[in-house]
Amino acid sequence: MRPSSMEWVSEALLIGLRPHGETSAVIEVMTPDYGRHLGLVKGARSRRLQPVLQAGNSLLVTWRARLETHLGLFSVELSEARAARLMESAAGVFGVQIVAGHLRLLAEREAHPGLYRAAITLLDHLDGFLQSAALVARFELMLLDELGFGLDLTRCAATGRTDDLRFVSPKSARAVCGDAGAPYADRLLSLPAFLLPEADDTPDAADVAAALKLTGFFLDRHVAGPRAIDLPSARAQMLGKLEGERRGR
């Protein structure tokens, strides 16, 4: 059971920062047990803390407040510096921006430990562009599930079959097998095999682009659209780069 005191200590992933006054900043972090959480860091714009407070870095944070509903103060220590490495590649730049943008879709102070761990794993494995984009698509599937809009990719909605799943119905968010879906292929969303449970397929650029279109469709319908917001712009840039690679083959 999480403590009810007005102080706690946790590992955290930094996902955002905005200046506050001349020397301070309000930071936004994702934690395993306290969810997405904001707090004020005094002296955040100092030479010592500027390199620490970069999106994508892992921190050890201590949060204190007089009342639980207050913004509160954070004291921070760097536990893993990955921001500089992420900025060295397009995959890293897009990846950290997409992850941060998606985590902001979560309600404040609502624990999502599995999603927190998935975000850390993703950021630690942004090695190649294609692999990174595939990880983003899988992360988005998990995000949809955490938000209550998960896709059912276990069996065909029309026949009950568990093999040859090639499409997803945009209405039911359920998988459809090849035979049942073929006559309606223009109305269905493509389901790349690498997204299926326990799949070990190695996707190409076309597969990953299709995966991002699939997850993007449901994120826009259920999450971004109703809130009148856009999905992270880095996501469109990643998809555009994939489409360019696919056309260039």
Side-chain angles (χ1 to χ4, degrees):
M1 180 179 297
R2 54 186 279 184
S4 59
S5 66
M6 300 307 110
E7 177 176 336
W8 48 259
V9 179
S10 176
E11 60 184 275
L13 174 67
L14 182 64
I15 61 174
L17 176 149
R18 66 175 185 268
H20 184 86
E22 294 185 1
T23 62
S24 301
V26 173
I27 67 168
E28 186 175 16
V29 299
M30 183 67 185
T31 68
D33 297 320
Y34 302 94
R36 184 172 66 87
H37 213 290
L38 282 75
L40 181 70
V41 177
K42 294 183 176 180
R45 300 163 74 180
S46 67
R47 288 185 179 180
R48 180 181 70 85
L49 286 181
Q50 277 187 353
V52 172
L53 299 176
Q54 299 292 321
N57 281 345
S58 284
L59 310 172
L60 180 67
V61 299
T62 302
W63 181 80
R64 299 180 180 88
R66 189 168 62 85
L67 296 174
E68 189 173 6
T69 54
H70 287 178
L71 175 65
L73 296 174
F74 271 134
S75 58
V76 302
E77 297 178 25
L78 180 66
S79 60
E80 183 166 353
R82 64 171 68 84
R85 174 180 59 79
L86 292 172
M87 293 302 105
E88 292 175 353
S89 68
V93 171
F94 292 157
V96 70
Q97 291 177 0
I98 293 169
V99 167
H102 284 342
L103 292 177
R104 291 191 188 100
L105 297 172
L106 302 172
E108 278 190 61
R109 307 188 181 190
E110 185 177 279
H112 293 274
L115 204 56
Y116 167 81
R117 290 190 294 270
I120 295 293
T121 298
L122 190 158
L123 294 179
D124 283 339
H125 291 84
L126 294 175
D127 301 321
F129 189 82
L130 188 60
Q131 175 189 346
S132 299
L135 288 174
V136 167
R138 291 192 179 102
F139 180 79
E140 291 182 340
L141 276 183
M142 185 175 183
L143 176 67
L144 283 165
D145 192 58
E146 291 277 323
L147 291 172
F149 305 110
L151 280 59
D152 182 355
L153 306 182
T154 58
R155 63 184 64 249
C156 175
T159 67
R161 289 174 53 182
T162 59
D163 64 315
D164 193 36
L165 302 177
R166 298 189 185 183
F167 306 100
V168 174
S169 166
K171 293 183 178 180
S172 68
R174 297 177 64 191
V176 180
C177 67
D179 290 344
Y184 313 100
D186 60 334
R187 305 178 200 173
L188 300 173
L189 299 164
S190 178
L191 173 57
F194 82 94
L195 289 183
L196 294 170
E198 301 180 5
D200 58 1
D201 297 65
T202 301
D204 59 17
D207 292 329
V208 179
L212 288 174
K213 290 177 182 177
L214 173 65
T215 53
F217 176 87
F218 290 103
L219 283 170
D220 189 59
R221 168 185 279 185
H222 295 301
V223 185
R227 303 184 193 189
I229 61 174
D230 295 323
L231 295 175
S233 59
R235 191 183 186 283
Q237 293 174 284
M238 176 175 275
L239 183 54
K241 184 173 174 62
L242 284 168
E243 292 281 19
E245 291 185 7
R246 183 179 64 83
R247 288 192 296 268
R249 292 187 62 182

